[in-house]
Each structure stands twice: as structure tokens, then as C-alpha cells.
Amino acid sequence: MALPLGGIRVLDIASMLAGPYGATMLGDMGADVIKIEPPYGDDSRTIGPKVENDSGLYVGVNRNKRGMVLDLTKPEGKDLYFRLVRTADIIVENLRPQAKTKLGIGYEETCKHNSKIIYISVSAFGQDGPYGGRPGIDPLAQALTGFMSVTGERDGKPMKAGPAIADATCANLVAFAAMVGLWTREQQGIGQQIELCLMDGLIHVQPAQVGQFFLSNYLQPRVGNASPFYAPYGTFTCKDGRNIQIASFNDKFFRNICRAIEREDLTTDPRFETVDGRLEREPELNDIIQAEFAKNNTAEMMRRLTEADVMAAPVNTFPETFADPQVQHNQMAVEVEHARVGKIKVGGIPAKLKKTPGAVRLAPPTLGQHTWEVLQEMGLSGEEVEQLKQKGVVK
């Protein structure tokens, strides 16, 4: 069957993570995503571990796209860009407002070439307002939104999450906003600008913390891997040195844990008979559970926990994650042919449409890999392309 978004064209002129990864999600579902980079490339190409000229960050974010280089500071480059705009359905960008004004590619200018365009603007804090136009990245959003205040050990400093959670959340919102924009255009015949920012996204993914604050002024404390409301709930170390995370939020799951560690006597111990009692004596209870975990290797402990219907999972490294049978069953690592490196794996598609599934079709493009292909589709001759190349407009 045809891919769900077959026939939809997306121009990705964003950089780094939030905008580009949102465009990738559209490409996963069949959209023709053209990633337009300046001659020096997306900044993410230079960050972190690299193989030749492609970083792991760039490769992880940019599957299912065609890549072209276009210098939007040159009149010829901007003219080619607006020719592409006339063929597009969605634009994803994360330029600061002053940069868009300088280049002349903001929403109002874009509408002159395609009034039905869905123009998705991504920023750290918003397009306007007191912080509009400020530079910002993921950890600043984590700091500003209270996310860091509830993350970390009880007596330690606030901590950011390891992955770029604000960027990833905003990427999901890019894909969601694109779908709402397409549906609105289908129903009402209008395009529009849609604004998203890292800050709003991180407030959005804290509904419990926000609800608690508005309802009763409750400020959730930092509790590390534990819970402020339930016990036992945390990370325990096995005989082989690996860790397992367990969770228990009621008497049933507490009894299951006690059965798994062969300490069913704890279920009738007056200290631990109630949720409140277990939480009040959490350090004492954790010491008892840890002593039992330390008697078994991870595989044996997980067998016992699974058989007892305990909510539990090993704390995996990435090699362990992608060797996990459920991760493999879910096809969350897919092999593609990279133009420079050869066969590599990229992340799989999390949304499983049963009748019209998405597909990983294209490896992340090398810098300018499809420039010639896209220009040919636009009707340019080889001579015209060569002239643009000589002027530094394309690469």
C-alpha cells in the first residue's frame, strides 16, 4: 500500500535536533522531505563522534530525507528556494526571527509564493514575547520549566535528563502540528504558521507535576530513581553488578515483589503493611530488598520478577538495549545503505500503523547528496546547475 504521507512534500531548513527530527517523523510516513542545508552544513554534523564527515547526532536525526545544499544568502539561492516552496506542503524551520527577516524567508514572504503552506517555526522560548529571539538549547528549557527541579538525587543539585528531552518532545509536536495543519488545510483550504518551542513542550510533558502545583501548591521533590508517593520503587543491584529498576504502587505489586525475592513475610510485617508505612520506612525496606537482589545475577532475578508479575526492567546500556528481544521484535533498529559509510543502522519507527505502515527508506543524506537530483526535477539543465555551482549557490 501507499505510504500514509505519500505525495506530501516537506522542506526542512531547520538544524540540530527538534525541527529536523520532527521532519524525519514525516519522512518515516512517506513524505518527500528535502533537507536544505547551507554550504557549511547543518551544525549537528560537527558535534560528537563522527565517521568521516557525518556525526552520530546527524545520522541519528536525519533518516528518510533527500539532502541538498542551497545558499539562501545569494539571490539565485533564494530564487531556487521559493521555486521549491511553490511545490511544498510544509516547511520546518528554526531560524531566529531576526535571521528570517535578514534572509527574507519569513512566513509573510513565503505566503506570497504559496498561500496554503504550513509553516512550522521551532524555537527555544517562542517567536515573540520577553524571550522571543533569544538563543536557547535543550538544557535551558529543562531549567526554565521546572523539569530540572524535580530531577536528581534527594540531596543533590537539580539535574538535566541525559538525552535531549526538550528537543525530542518538540520534534513529536512538530509532527503532530503538521498533521493538524494538513487536516485544517484539507477542511478549510487555508495554510498557516504554527509556532512550537522547547519551553512549552517541556511544560506539556509534566502534566502530573503541573496538576499537583495548580491543585494544591505541591512542589514535587527530587527523589532520584524512587517515587515521592510509593515504595518500593527504585534501582537495585544484582550479584553481577547490573541494576534492575522496579516499581510498586499498590499492595498487589508489593506482594508480587515479596514473592519474587522469597520474603513473603514482609507482607504481614506491621512496618510495611500499608503504602504509607512502606514509604515512611523506605530506606529500611530498600535495604532488605537490596540484600535479596545481591544474592542473584540479573538474568535469574529478572526471571523471578517476571514470573511473579512484578513491574521490572534491567537498566540497559545501548548494546544491551539493541540486543533486547523486545526491541528487536519492535524493529527499533533498521539497516540502511549510507552513501559514504556503507551499511549502518538507524532508529526504527515508533508508530506502527497496521494497514499503512511507515518505512525507513533513505539513509541520512551526505552534505548535498541529492542537490543535482532535486534541481533536475525542477527542470534545470546541466549547464545551469554548473553555473550555480561555480557561483557557490549549490553544492
PDB file of all heavy atoms in Angstrom, residues 109-137:
ATOM      1  N   GLU A 109       6.650  36.511   3.717  1.00  0.00           N
ATOM      2  CA  GLU A 109       7.288  36.438   2.399  1.00  0.00           C
ATOM      3  C   GLU A 109       6.983  35.102   1.723  1.00  0.00           C
ATOM      4  O   GLU A 109       6.760  35.038   0.511  1.00  0.00           O
ATOM      5  CB  GLU A 109       8.805  36.610   2.528  1.00  0.00           C
ATOM      6  CG  GLU A 109       9.258  38.000   2.958  1.00  0.00           C
ATOM      7  CD  GLU A 109       9.294  38.155   4.471  1.00  0.00           C
ATOM      8  OE1 GLU A 109       8.835  37.237   5.192  1.00  0.00           O
ATOM      9  OE2 GLU A 109       9.786  39.196   4.935  1.00  0.00           O
ATOM     10  N   THR A 110       6.982  34.036   2.536  1.00  0.00           N
ATOM     11  CA  THR A 110       6.733  32.707   1.997  1.00  0.00           C
ATOM     12  C   THR A 110       5.323  32.595   1.428  1.00  0.00           C
ATOM     13  O   THR A 110       5.105  31.976   0.382  1.00  0.00           O
ATOM     14  CB  THR A 110       6.958  31.647   3.089  1.00  0.00           C
ATOM     15  OG1 THR A 110       8.306  31.751   3.576  1.00  0.00           O
ATOM     16  CG2 THR A 110       6.721  30.238   2.561  1.00  0.00           C
ATOM     17  N   CYS A 111       4.346  33.212   2.102  1.00  0.00           N
ATOM     18  CA  CYS A 111       2.944  33.144   1.651  1.00  0.00           C
ATOM     19  C   CYS A 111       2.745  33.762   0.272  1.00  0.00           C
ATOM     20  O   CYS A 111       1.795  33.410  -0.444  1.00  0.00           O
ATOM     21  CB  CYS A 111       2.035  33.829   2.667  1.00  0.00           C
ATOM     22  SG  CYS A 111       1.659  32.797   4.086  1.00  0.00           S
ATOM     23  N   LYS A 112       3.609  34.686  -0.105  1.00  0.00           N
ATOM     24  CA  LYS A 112       3.496  35.291  -1.428  1.00  0.00           C
ATOM     25  C   LYS A 112       3.738  34.260  -2.526  1.00  0.00           C
ATOM     26  O   LYS A 112       3.295  34.428  -3.668  1.00  0.00           O
ATOM     27  CB  LYS A 112       4.481  36.443  -1.566  1.00  0.00           C
ATOM     28  CG  LYS A 112       4.190  37.611  -0.627  1.00  0.00           C
ATOM     29  CD  LYS A 112       5.294  38.657  -0.695  1.00  0.00           C
ATOM     30  CE  LYS A 112       5.057  39.778   0.328  1.00  0.00           C
ATOM     31  NZ  LYS A 112       6.178  40.761   0.341  1.00  0.00           N
ATOM     32  N   HIS A 113       4.452  33.192  -2.172  1.00  0.00           N
ATOM     33  CA  HIS A 113       4.773  32.145  -3.147  1.00  0.00           C
ATOM     34  C   HIS A 113       3.888  30.917  -2.977  1.00  0.00           C
ATOM     35  O   HIS A 113       3.758  30.118  -3.915  1.00  0.00           O
ATOM     36  CB  HIS A 113       6.244  31.742  -3.011  1.00  0.00           C
ATOM     37  CG  HIS A 113       7.185  32.871  -3.258  1.00  0.00           C
ATOM     38  ND1 HIS A 113       7.690  33.168  -4.501  1.00  0.00           N
ATOM     39  CD2 HIS A 113       7.700  33.801  -2.399  1.00  0.00           C
ATOM     40  CE1 HIS A 113       8.486  34.226  -4.415  1.00  0.00           C
ATOM     41  NE2 HIS A 113       8.504  34.634  -3.153  1.00  0.00           N
ATOM     42  N   ASN A 114       3.302  30.734  -1.782  1.00  0.00           N
ATOM     43  CA  ASN A 114       2.442  29.578  -1.533  1.00  0.00           C
ATOM     44  C   ASN A 114       1.546  29.917  -0.343  1.00  0.00           C
ATOM     45  O   ASN A 114       1.929  29.755   0.816  1.00  0.00           O
ATOM     46  CB  ASN A 114       3.282  28.332  -1.242  1.00  0.00           C
ATOM     47  CG  ASN A 114       2.444  27.075  -1.096  1.00  0.00           C
ATOM     48  OD1 ASN A 114       1.232  27.136  -0.886  1.00  0.00           O
ATOM     49  ND2 ASN A 114       3.099  25.918  -1.176  1.00  0.00           N
ATOM     50  N   SER A 115       0.334  30.384  -0.646  1.00  0.00           N
ATOM     51  CA  SER A 115      -0.544  30.863   0.428  1.00  0.00           C
ATOM     52  C   SER A 115      -1.080  29.737   1.305  1.00  0.00           C
ATOM     53  O   SER A 115      -1.566  29.991   2.409  1.00  0.00           O
ATOM     54  CB  SER A 115      -1.722  31.643  -0.171  1.00  0.00           C
ATOM     55  OG  SER A 115      -2.510  30.790  -0.985  1.00  0.00           O
ATOM     56  N   LYS A 116      -0.971  28.501   0.833  1.00  0.00           N
ATOM     57  CA  LYS A 116      -1.504  27.364   1.604  1.00  0.00           C
ATOM     58  C   LYS A 116      -0.408  26.580   2.315  1.00  0.00           C
ATOM     59  O   LYS A 116      -0.640  25.474   2.801  1.00  0.00           O
ATOM     60  CB  LYS A 116      -2.307  26.434   0.682  1.00  0.00           C
ATOM     61  CG  LYS A 116      -3.592  27.083   0.161  1.00  0.00           C
ATOM     62  CD  LYS A 116      -4.442  26.084  -0.611  1.00  0.00           C
ATOM     63  CE  LYS A 116      -5.747  26.736  -1.058  1.00  0.00           C
ATOM     64  NZ  LYS A 116      -6.606  25.779  -1.808  1.00  0.00           N
ATOM     65  N   ILE A 117       0.773  27.161   2.415  1.00  0.00           N
ATOM     66  CA  ILE A 117       1.883  26.478   3.071  1.00  0.00           C
ATOM     67  C   ILE A 117       1.612  26.336   4.569  1.00  0.00           C
ATOM     68  O   ILE A 117       0.995  27.206   5.192  1.00  0.00           O
ATOM     69  CB  ILE A 117       3.215  27.228   2.836  1.00  0.00           C
ATOM     70  CG1 ILE A 117       4.409  26.318   3.132  1.00  0.00           C
ATOM     71  CG2 ILE A 117       3.294  28.491   3.679  1.00  0.00           C
ATOM     72  CD1 ILE A 117       4.670  25.296   2.076  1.00  0.00           C
ATOM     73  N   ILE A 118       2.040  25.226   5.137  1.00  0.00           N
ATOM     74  CA  ILE A 118       2.023  25.033   6.590  1.00  0.00           C
ATOM     75  C   ILE A 118       3.456  25.280   7.067  1.00  0.00           C
ATOM     76  O   ILE A 118       4.360  24.504   6.767  1.00  0.00           O
ATOM     77  CB  ILE A 118       1.548  23.615   6.947  1.00  0.00           C
ATOM     78  CG1 ILE A 118       0.108  23.422   6.458  1.00  0.00           C
ATOM     79  CG2 ILE A 118       1.635  23.368   8.452  1.00  0.00           C
ATOM     80  CD1 ILE A 118      -0.280  21.987   6.260  1.00  0.00           C
ATOM     81  N   TYR A 119       3.627  26.383   7.768  1.00  0.00           N
ATOM     82  CA  TYR A 119       4.959  26.924   8.080  1.00  0.00           C
ATOM     83  C   TYR A 119       5.206  26.720   9.579  1.00  0.00           C
ATOM     84  O   TYR A 119       4.650  27.436  10.412  1.00  0.00           O
ATOM     85  CB  TYR A 119       4.979  28.401   7.699  1.00  0.00           C
ATOM     86  CG  TYR A 119       6.310  29.101   7.759  1.00  0.00           C
ATOM     87  CD1 TYR A 119       7.060  29.301   6.599  1.00  0.00           C
ATOM     88  CD2 TYR A 119       6.807  29.617   8.957  1.00  0.00           C
ATOM     89  CE1 TYR A 119       8.270  29.989   6.636  1.00  0.00           C
ATOM     90  CE2 TYR A 119       8.011  30.296   9.004  1.00  0.00           C
ATOM     91  CZ  TYR A 119       8.741  30.475   7.845  1.00  0.00           C
ATOM     92  OH  TYR A 119       9.927  31.159   7.891  1.00  0.00           O
ATOM     93  N   ILE A 120       6.016  25.719   9.922  1.00  0.00           N
ATOM     94  CA  ILE A 120       6.222  25.346  11.317  1.00  0.00           C
ATOM     95  C   ILE A 120       7.517  25.969  11.831  1.00  0.00           C
ATOM     96  O   ILE A 120       8.604  25.664  11.338  1.00  0.00           O
ATOM     97  CB  ILE A 120       6.256  23.817  11.477  1.00  0.00           C
ATOM     98  CG1 ILE A 120       4.927  23.217  10.982  1.00  0.00           C
ATOM     99  CG2 ILE A 120       6.517  23.425  12.927  1.00  0.00           C
ATOM    100  CD1 ILE A 120       4.867  21.705  11.023  1.00  0.00           C
ATOM    101  N   SER A 121       7.363  26.857  12.806  1.00  0.00           N
ATOM    102  CA  SER A 121       8.504  27.586  13.379  1.00  0.00           C
ATOM    103  C   SER A 121       8.837  27.026  14.758  1.00  0.00           C
ATOM    104  O   SER A 121       7.993  27.011  15.656  1.00  0.00           O
ATOM    105  CB  SER A 121       8.173  29.075  13.497  1.00  0.00           C
ATOM    106  OG  SER A 121       7.935  29.635  12.226  1.00  0.00           O
ATOM    107  N   VAL A 122      10.066  26.581  14.910  1.00  0.00           N
ATOM    108  CA  VAL A 122      10.536  25.991  16.164  1.00  0.00           C
ATOM    109  C   VAL A 122      11.553  26.933  16.810  1.00  0.00           C
ATOM    110  O   VAL A 122      12.424  27.478  16.128  1.00  0.00           O
ATOM    111  CB  VAL A 122      11.190  24.619  15.907  1.00  0.00           C
ATOM    112  CG1 VAL A 122      11.726  24.011  17.200  1.00  0.00           C
ATOM    113  CG2 VAL A 122      10.193  23.666  15.252  1.00  0.00           C
ATOM    114  N   SER A 123      11.432  27.127  18.107  1.00  0.00           N
ATOM    115  CA  SER A 123      12.388  27.974  18.829  1.00  0.00           C
ATOM    116  C   SER A 123      12.561  27.440  20.236  1.00  0.00           C
ATOM    117  O   SER A 123      11.904  26.481  20.643  1.00  0.00           O
ATOM    118  CB  SER A 123      11.904  29.426  18.863  1.00  0.00           C
ATOM    119  OG  SER A 123      10.682  29.520  19.586  1.00  0.00           O
ATOM    120  N   ALA A 124      13.430  28.074  21.002  1.00  0.00           N
ATOM    121  CA  ALA A 124      13.631  27.664  22.391  1.00  0.00           C
ATOM    122  C   ALA A 124      12.513  28.170  23.287  1.00  0.00           C
ATOM    123  O   ALA A 124      11.986  27.441  24.131  1.00  0.00           O
ATOM    124  CB  ALA A 124      14.982  28.152  22.904  1.00  0.00           C
ATOM    125  N   PHE A 125      12.116  29.459  23.103  1.00  0.00           N
ATOM    126  CA  PHE A 125      11.178  30.090  24.042  1.00  0.00           C
ATOM    127  C   PHE A 125       9.930  30.668  23.387  1.00  0.00           C
ATOM    128  O   PHE A 125       8.978  31.013  24.082  1.00  0.00           O
ATOM    129  CB  PHE A 125      11.895  31.215  24.800  1.00  0.00           C
ATOM    130  CG  PHE A 125      13.214  30.811  25.371  1.00  0.00           C
ATOM    131  CD1 PHE A 125      14.388  31.405  24.951  1.00  0.00           C
ATOM    132  CD2 PHE A 125      13.299  29.814  26.334  1.00  0.00           C
ATOM    133  CE1 PHE A 125      15.616  31.033  25.473  1.00  0.00           C
ATOM    134  CE2 PHE A 125      14.514  29.438  26.870  1.00  0.00           C
ATOM    135  CZ  PHE A 125      15.684  30.043  26.436  1.00  0.00           C
ATOM    136  N   GLY A 126       9.922  30.815  22.074  1.00  0.00           N
ATOM    137  CA  GLY A 126       8.803  31.431  21.387  1.00  0.00           C
ATOM    138  C   GLY A 126       9.305  32.429  20.357  1.00  0.00           C
ATOM    139  O   GLY A 126      10.439  32.911  20.441  1.00  0.00           O
ATOM    140  N   GLN A 127       8.467  32.754  19.386  1.00  0.00           N
ATOM    141  CA  GLN A 127       8.850  33.686  18.324  1.00  0.00           C
ATOM    142  C   GLN A 127       8.828  35.137  18.791  1.00  0.00           C
ATOM    143  O   GLN A 127       9.506  35.990  18.226  1.00  0.00           O
ATOM    144  CB  GLN A 127       7.900  33.526  17.138  1.00  0.00           C
ATOM    145  CG  GLN A 127       7.961  32.166  16.477  1.00  0.00           C
ATOM    146  CD  GLN A 127       9.294  31.881  15.818  1.00  0.00           C
ATOM    147  OE1 GLN A 127       9.770  32.650  14.981  1.00  0.00           O
ATOM    148  NE2 GLN A 127       9.916  30.778  16.193  1.00  0.00           N
ATOM    149  N   ASP A 128       8.044  35.422  19.831  1.00  0.00           N
ATOM    150  CA  ASP A 128       7.959  36.785  20.345  1.00  0.00           C
ATOM    151  C   ASP A 128       7.825  36.716  21.861  1.00  0.00           C
ATOM    152  O   ASP A 128       8.074  35.675  22.464  1.00  0.00           O
ATOM    153  CB  ASP A 128       6.803  37.546  19.700  1.00  0.00           C
ATOM    154  CG  ASP A 128       5.513  36.729  19.676  1.00  0.00           C
ATOM    155  OD1 ASP A 128       5.306  35.909  20.609  1.00  0.00           O
ATOM    156  OD2 ASP A 128       4.717  36.892  18.745  1.00  0.00           O
ATOM    157  N   GLY A 129       7.421  37.818  22.484  1.00  0.00           N
ATOM    158  CA  GLY A 129       7.358  37.844  23.941  1.00  0.00           C
ATOM    159  C   GLY A 129       8.690  38.255  24.549  1.00  0.00           C
ATOM    160  O   GLY A 129       9.653  38.548  23.834  1.00  0.00           O
ATOM    161  N   PRO A 130       8.789  38.264  25.883  1.00  0.00           N
ATOM    162  CA  PRO A 130      10.000  38.748  26.557  1.00  0.00           C
ATOM    163  C   PRO A 130      11.273  38.007  26.142  1.00  0.00           C
ATOM    164  O   PRO A 130      12.349  38.599  26.129  1.00  0.00           O
ATOM    165  CB  PRO A 130       9.699  38.510  28.039  1.00  0.00           C
ATOM    166  CG  PRO A 130       8.221  38.472  28.138  1.00  0.00           C
ATOM    167  CD  PRO A 130       7.734  37.892  26.854  1.00  0.00           C
ATOM    168  N   TYR A 131      11.144  36.698  25.817  1.00  0.00           N
ATOM    169  CA  TYR A 131      12.335  35.912  25.452  1.00  0.00           C
ATOM    170  C   TYR A 131      12.410  35.630  23.957  1.00  0.00           C
ATOM    171  O   TYR A 131      13.282  34.879  23.522  1.00  0.00           O
ATOM    172  CB  TYR A 131      12.352  34.574  26.203  1.00  0.00           C
ATOM    173  CG  TYR A 131      12.300  34.669  27.706  1.00  0.00           C
ATOM    174  CD1 TYR A 131      11.957  33.574  28.479  1.00  0.00           C
ATOM    175  CD2 TYR A 131      12.596  35.864  28.373  1.00  0.00           C
ATOM    176  CE1 TYR A 131      11.904  33.643  29.868  1.00  0.00           C
ATOM    177  CE2 TYR A 131      12.541  35.952  29.748  1.00  0.00           C
ATOM    178  CZ  TYR A 131      12.186  34.846  30.489  1.00  0.00           C
ATOM    179  OH  TYR A 131      12.129  34.924  31.857  1.00  0.00           O
ATOM    180  N   GLY A 132      11.490  36.193  23.176  1.00  0.00           N
ATOM    181  CA  GLY A 132      11.484  35.925  21.744  1.00  0.00           C
ATOM    182  C   GLY A 132      12.796  36.329  21.095  1.00  0.00           C
ATOM    183  O   GLY A 132      13.302  37.430  21.314  1.00  0.00           O
ATOM    184  N   GLY A 133      13.352  35.433  20.286  1.00  0.00           N
ATOM    185  CA  GLY A 133      14.608  35.731  19.596  1.00  0.00           C
ATOM    186  C   GLY A 133      15.854  35.417  20.384  1.00  0.00           C
ATOM    187  O   GLY A 133      16.958  35.496  19.854  1.00  0.00           O
ATOM    188  N   ARG A 134      15.712  35.077  21.667  1.00  0.00           N
ATOM    189  CA  ARG A 134      16.897  34.688  22.438  1.00  0.00           C
ATOM    190  C   ARG A 134      17.440  33.352  21.926  1.00  0.00           C
ATOM    191  O   ARG A 134      16.681  32.472  21.555  1.00  0.00           O
ATOM    192  CB  ARG A 134      16.532  34.473  23.902  1.00  0.00           C
ATOM    193  CG  ARG A 134      16.558  35.683  24.788  1.00  0.00           C
ATOM    194  CD  ARG A 134      16.530  35.187  26.226  1.00  0.00           C
ATOM    195  NE  ARG A 134      16.192  36.222  27.189  1.00  0.00           N
ATOM    196  CZ  ARG A 134      16.100  36.004  28.489  1.00  0.00           C
ATOM    197  NH1 ARG A 134      16.279  34.787  28.970  1.00  0.00           N
ATOM    198  NH2 ARG A 134      15.801  36.991  29.303  1.00  0.00           N
ATOM    199  N   PRO A 135      18.772  33.183  21.967  1.00  0.00           N
ATOM    200  CA  PRO A 135      19.303  31.855  21.646  1.00  0.00           C
ATOM    201  C   PRO A 135      19.007  30.905  22.810  1.00  0.00           C
ATOM    202  O   PRO A 135      18.970  31.312  23.971  1.00  0.00           O
ATOM    203  CB  PRO A 135      20.809  32.103  21.509  1.00  0.00           C
ATOM    204  CG  PRO A 135      21.076  33.279  22.402  1.00  0.00           C
ATOM    205  CD  PRO A 135      19.836  34.138  22.316  1.00  0.00           C
ATOM    206  N   GLY A 136      18.778  29.645  22.493  1.00  0.00           N
ATOM    207  CA  GLY A 136      18.498  28.689  23.555  1.00  0.00           C
ATOM    208  C   GLY A 136      18.613  27.264  23.069  1.00  0.00           C
ATOM    209  O   GLY A 136      18.409  26.979  21.889  1.00  0.00           O
ATOM    210  N   ILE A 137      18.950  26.363  23.985  1.00  0.00           N
ATOM    211  CA  ILE A 137      19.038  24.939  23.667  1.00  0.00           C
ATOM    212  C   ILE A 137      18.365  24.132  24.770  1.00  0.00           C
ATOM    213  O   ILE A 137      17.896  24.680  25.770  1.00  0.00           O
ATOM    214  CB  ILE A 137      20.497  24.468  23.467  1.00  0.00           C
ATOM    215  CG1 ILE A 137      21.339  24.762  24.722  1.00  0.00           C
ATOM    216  CG2 ILE A 137      21.121  25.114  22.245  1.00  0.00           C
ATOM    217  CD1 ILE A 137      22.749  24.170  24.645  1.00  0.00           C
TER     218      ILE A 137
END
